[in-house]
Amino acid sequence: AAVFPGPAFAEPPTAASAGGELRIRLEVAPWRLEGYISFDTRAYHFEGQGRLFGPTWIVRPGDKVYVELVNRLGPNGAQPHVMNELGHCNTTNLHTHGLHMDPGTDSILVHVHPGESWLYVYEFPKHHAPGLHWYHSHLHGASTLQVMGGLVGGLLVEPADDSAFPAEFRALPRKLMLLQHLNFDPRHDLTEKQFDSWSYPRVAELSHSTMPINAVFANDSVKDVYLVNGQYQPFLTTEPGQAVVFDIVHTGVSYNLELEIRDAVAAGSPACTLQVLAMDGVYLEDAPRTVSVVILLPASRATVVIMCGSFGEYYLQTYADPARKASQTSTDNMRYTQNLLTLKVQGTGVNTPLPAAGSFAPLRTAPYLKDLRGTAADRHWEMSVAQWGSKGTMFQLGIGAHCPLPCGGGGGHGCEVDMRDPAACGDYCANCTYFEWGPESGPPPAGAYRHTALRGTTEELVISGRTGGHHPIHIHVNHMQIIGYEGDNNPLEFYFQLGEWRDVVP
């Protein structure tokens, strides 16, 4: 929880479309981060330079984006590739997280092996909503190591006409923060069976990585940190009364972050004005919304405004405030405290007008974000995390080829079995049946798809959580509108309001 005198805040380079087109060449190659933690990793190289992270794409509705992904990594080891099991960490691909995009284009089944390249062509619909998203590698079995190591980048969809933004918003400085969790401390390896959270060296070992890590630490007692754009606790200088927009992406894979502004780290009092404009790339109907804390799940995003009215130093931090019940924000062992960004407020001071409440509502015209409350659902289905759903649950989510999860919850079996064996606990556990599929294994067998969503239909999905743990749910291409909640904690206070849209839900 200590404050570290980090470097001046810096952002990744940008690549903006012009004339309705953007062309990017991304090379994936070895690179070494030199910083608070220095180590060798796999990184995007853009315009001849490797860094954390890849360039921020800035695009508009109707744009056509060409991304040439070139794999300059060395060969994989000899172990066979099994989907969802760690390995083949030098094969990669690309996923645009949050875009309403043709899944045939944004396909995670593409395998770009060492020495190969792949041209992605993204055609943005003219009705695409503006908002903050991100891209990252998504090869099943390799993405954990690659994302932890920094194969990520920001993606900002601007409106077709900037005048769609309130004038007050257009006048504000805007900063991108990509939050990366770097854990090199084996003491922090978790052993919660199917929802393990390992250190980077442990993931590299389990992935059969042959790339040396060569980690060097500025402080041997601090080996588990969050970086901002590859920097540890950077500082940003601003003036009293100057509002700043921050686009924040949580690229980590483990913790829920509890973002606050305080005058001390893990202590002191809340400070400055914190307003939420958008979550998961969707502007809120009542934005700007003044809050005291913003909860960021892994892979989620927030666009916020911060304004400090007085001189001094303030800390944008993730703080596991004991005044908040752990069950409301995460489990006890999945909370995290650290300063992320130091705000040095100095100078003569300014008087920045803030956008009026509701002034972002005109940005919510995309047809795929219309209010579905009151619309009769065409079909209903259910998914469950760790077998805590009802007997009729269609998907019992497991990890790995064998899905060895307890059959608790609605099933009531209290056993641990191979879920591919229907005889072990019947059709209930067979719903975790694993199929290898993809371009190398061919299409899945007939009947493998338990549910097919038809274009233009309204699907009602019930997600059953897991007692004693958490696992966020993300569905590619489509956001989800939250229309109801039942439970023993209060996510309505911290995560969402009913009727809001998310592409990551707790």
Side-chain angles (χ1 to χ4, degrees):
V3 176
F4 178 78
F9 176 83
E11 297 178 86
T14 59
S17 66
E21 184 176 289
L22 175 61
R23 293 182 180 270
I24 302 173
R25 177 184 171 93
L26 290 178
E27 295 189 7
V28 179
W31 183 75
R32 183 168 179 81
L33 173 67
E34 298 287 353
Y36 190 77
I37 295 180
S38 303
F39 73 109
D40 294 329
T41 186
R42 299 159 181 81
Y44 290 125
H45 293 240
F46 173 65
E47 296 182 341
Q49 182 178 356
R51 63 177 297 163
L52 297 185
F53 299 101
T56 303
W57 309 357
I58 302 178
V59 300
R60 298 182 186 273
D63 279 351
K64 198 167 186 176
V65 178
Y66 301 83
V67 180
E68 182 185 11
L69 185 67
V70 182
N71 189 339
R72 301 295 188 201
L73 298 172
N76 288 303
Q79 81 281 0
H81 176 253
V82 178
M83 182 179 286
N84 281 348
E85 298 207 332
L86 296 176
H88 273 220
C89 49
N90 283 355
T91 296
T92 191
N93 61 14
L94 201 62
H95 166 53
T96 54
H97 184 118
L99 294 186
H100 193 70
M101 184 63 58
D102 182 350
T105 298
D106 185 39
S107 173
I108 63 170
L109 301 181
V110 171
H111 290 185
V112 185
H113 297 291
E116 297 181 351
S117 64
W118 187 271
L119 180 63
Y120 291 88
V121 181
Y122 303 96
E123 297 189 43
F124 282 74
K126 292 184 178 180
H127 60 254
H128 200 292
L132 173 66
H133 307 292
W134 63 302
Y135 62 91
H136 58 87
S137 67
H138 204 311
L139 183 82
H140 283 210
S143 60
T144 299
L145 182 66
Q146 293 178 1
V147 171
M148 289 175 72
L151 278 186
V152 306
L155 201 168
L156 191 61
V157 181
E158 298 280 45
D161 187 339
D162 287 339
S163 64
F165 281 133
E168 299 87 349
F169 176 83
R170 298 197 304 270
L172 300 180
R174 194 169 185 179
K175 307 294 182 181
L176 175 68
M177 296 176 60
L178 294 170
L179 308 182
Q180 177 194 20
H181 181 212
L182 278 186
N183 174 18
F184 282 80
D185 193 337
R187 295 175 302 172
H188 296 178
D189 283 347
L190 303 181
T191 57
E192 200 191 344
K193 293 185 179 180
Q194 66 273 16
F195 298 113
D196 285 353
S197 177
W198 298 303
S199 65
Y200 185 80
R202 178 60 173 156
V203 173
E205 175 189 357
L206 294 171
S207 301
H208 310 283
S209 175
T210 58
M211 177 184 292
I213 297 175
N214 298 321
V216 177
F217 306 96
N219 185 341
D220 283 335
S221 65
V222 181
K223 298 181 178 181
D224 186 341
V225 301
Y226 264 86
L227 302 184
V228 177
N229 300 340
Q231 300 175 305
Y232 183 58
Q233 296 195 40
F235 72 89
L236 180 68
T237 301
T238 185
E239 293 188 78
Q242 174 63 65
V244 180
V245 178
F246 290 94
D247 290 306
I248 307 173
V249 182
H250 183 195
T251 75
V253 298
S254 300
Y255 295 100
N256 290 351
L257 302 184
E258 305 167 51
L259 302 186
E260 290 190 52
I261 302 285
R262 287 180 170 258
D263 56 14
V265 178
S269 302
C272 308
T273 297
L274 175 61
Q275 295 184 327
V276 180
L277 303 181
M279 293 296 297
D280 286 355
V282 179
Y283 286 91
L284 304 181
E285 190 170 15
D286 62 345
R289 179 185 298 166
T290 300
V291 298
S292 60
V293 61
V294 176
I295 307 298
L296 278 185
L297 307 174
S300 63
R301 291 88 65 210
T303 297
V304 303
V305 173
I306 295 175
M307 183 176 68
C308 300
S310 302
F311 296 99
E313 289 194 358
Y314 305 95
Y315 306 96
L316 175 56
Q317 59 192 280
T318 174
Y319 176 37
D321 187 347
R324 283 189 295 272
K325 294 180 181 180
S327 64
Q328 293 175 324
T329 56
S330 187
T331 53
D332 278 316
N333 65 337
M334 300 306 289
R335 304 180 80 191
Y336 200 95
T337 295
Q338 180 201 296
N339 179 43
L340 298 171
L341 175 70
T342 299
L343 292 175
K344 296 185 177 183
V345 182
Q346 55 194 38
T348 59
V350 296
N351 184 15
T352 305
L354 296 176
S359 58
F360 291 86
L363 299 171
R364 298 168 50 88
T365 59
Y368 57 89
L369 296 177
K370 71 177 182 179
D371 192 348
L372 297 177
R373 290 173 293 178
T375 301
D378 297 296
R379 286 186 296 181
H380 304 259
W381 50 293
E382 180 179 348
M383 69 169 61
S384 164
V385 177
Q387 322 311 327
W388 287 96
S390 67
K391 276 270 192 175
T393 296
M394 183 174 295
F395 297 101
Q396 305 284 7
L397 301 183
I399 301 297
H402 300 287
C403 299
L405 302 184
C407 298
H413 298 283
C415 59
E416 185 171 284
V417 298
D418 182 342
M419 298 301 163
R420 297 176 301 174
D421 181 8
C425 55
D427 291 340
Y428 170 78
C429 289
N431 281 347
C432 193
T433 302
Y434 172 84
F435 295 107
E436 174 70 30
W437 58 303
E440 296 175 347
S441 60
Y449 296 108
R450 290 196 179 85
H451 182 77
T452 301
L454 301 178
R455 183 178 180 181
T457 59
T458 300
E459 308 267 333
E460 184 179 83
L461 168 63
V462 175
I463 302 174
S464 298
R466 176 171 180 254
T467 301
H470 82 282
H471 190 291
I473 301 297
H474 166 59
I475 296 179
H476 290 196
V477 178
N478 294 294
H479 281 63
M480 297 168 276
Q481 186 179 32
I482 313 299
I483 61 172
Y485 172 79
E486 296 178 3
D488 58 0
N489 54 24
N490 189 15
L492 299 179
E493 179 180 356
F494 296 109
Y495 292 109
F496 49 74
Q497 301 291 321
L498 293 183
E500 292 180 353
W501 291 86
R502 296 287 190 276
D503 69 11
V504 183
V505 297

